[in-house]
Amino acid sequence: MLNFELYNPTNLVFGKGQIEKLPTLVPQGAKILLAYGGGSIFKNGIHEQVINNLKGFEIVEFSGIEPNPHFETLMKAVSIIKEQKIDFILAVGGGSVIDGVKFISAAVNFEGNPIDILQKRLLIKENAVPFGTVLTLPATGSEMNSGAVVTIEATQEKLAFGGSALFPKFSICDPTVIESLPKRQLQNGVVDAYTHVMEQYLTYPHEGYLQDRIAEGILQTLIEIGPKVVENPKDYALASNFMWSCTMALNGLIQKGVPSDWATHMIGHELTALYGIDHARTLSIIAPSLYKVMFETKKAKLAQYGKRIFNLEGTEDEIANEAINKTVEFFHKMGMQTKLSEYTEDYNKTADFIVNRFEERGWKGLGEKQNITLEKVREIVEMSY
């Protein structure tokens, strides 16, 4: 097992009715920026609950954070915080709102041009504005980690950043919030969490036995409950296990002491930036092709995955290949299309664009062994057409 440090200071407050604890979680006397996306928190009553539970606090509201939060939008919030001397941010939303708030938190006191946080992938270790979250859409795990992804609209770039100062101080996770979510968002959440686990799990055999078993437990849970929770979001057993699986998929636990990949995400982010395709759906497009192109590198772990998750039998090659097929079947069952051509007709130059962009950034060796070269990236993307 590799050396590691495990640090996660987020106070996760999970279950029905936990939003009532807001006034005890927000620092007394704080001036709050209440940040959210569109109008869904008004329709499902979450906005009213938040406001009612924060009586006595001074609140400034900031709305309009996009499903893929834009740098340009978030900088408006940074200006408001500076002008109005706000000292706490409350993100009410899904992963995009929380990611946006992480950027706002980092940018307020950043010395220099905040765009560097994204383009230079800087680690934010201090001077961030404290923030908490009320999760309304399980998917990204952003409620219990210190990473985020933000889109620069002007350059059509979707870039990741993070740092130890960007953990939420607290996150309220009430599974009943999913009752009013559209099926598409629930489908996305399941597949997003599933692929988060795969990025940390589907590498090569190592000695992180416990991490593998925890990862496999999350995958099996998502396979079991994923299709059901989409159809029955009011079932609390399904909703709570769905929400907790999404959090556990990316709160740092299963990646400690083991190699991880993340190339599927890095390529997928470009599809979102180029075509506006939902994040989870870009992952379902790229992941199967990546597993096929990198088959020899990942074969042993694919075979382990096939045996343990799908109870497959046969030779190592047979099990590994069928494991990819079973993964695609699961994505289809979750309502995903798995080819880029199913989302856009203008896909022929996508591989060229992504390869050129990665080359400009110096991203010439991705994956757990840094062996996903630019040539491999091209092959992966073209196979995804």
Side-chain angles (χ1 to χ4, degrees), residues 136-167:
T136 64
L137 172 60
T140 69
S142 195
E143 67 277 3
M144 201 180 178
N145 66 41
S146 61
V149 184
V150 163
T151 297
I152 305 172
E153 189 178 21
T155 57
Q156 286 190 299
E157 293 178 281
K158 185 174 177 180
L159 300 171
F161 66 101
S164 56
L166 299 181
F167 283 100

Side-chain angles (χ1 to χ4, degrees), residues 121 199 261-270 358 363 366:
R121 303 185 77 185
E199 294 277 40
D261 186 345
W262 296 110
T264 295
H265 272 68
M266 295 169 86
I267 300 169
H269 287 164
E270 300 303 320
F358 283 10
W363 295 4
L366 307 180

Side-chain angles (χ1 to χ4, degrees), residues 351-364:
D352 290 338
F353 183 89
I354 293 175
V355 168
N356 290 339
R357 178 162 273 184
F358 283 10
E359 189 164 25
E360 288 169 5
R361 293 179 190 152
W363 295 4
K364 297 184 179 180

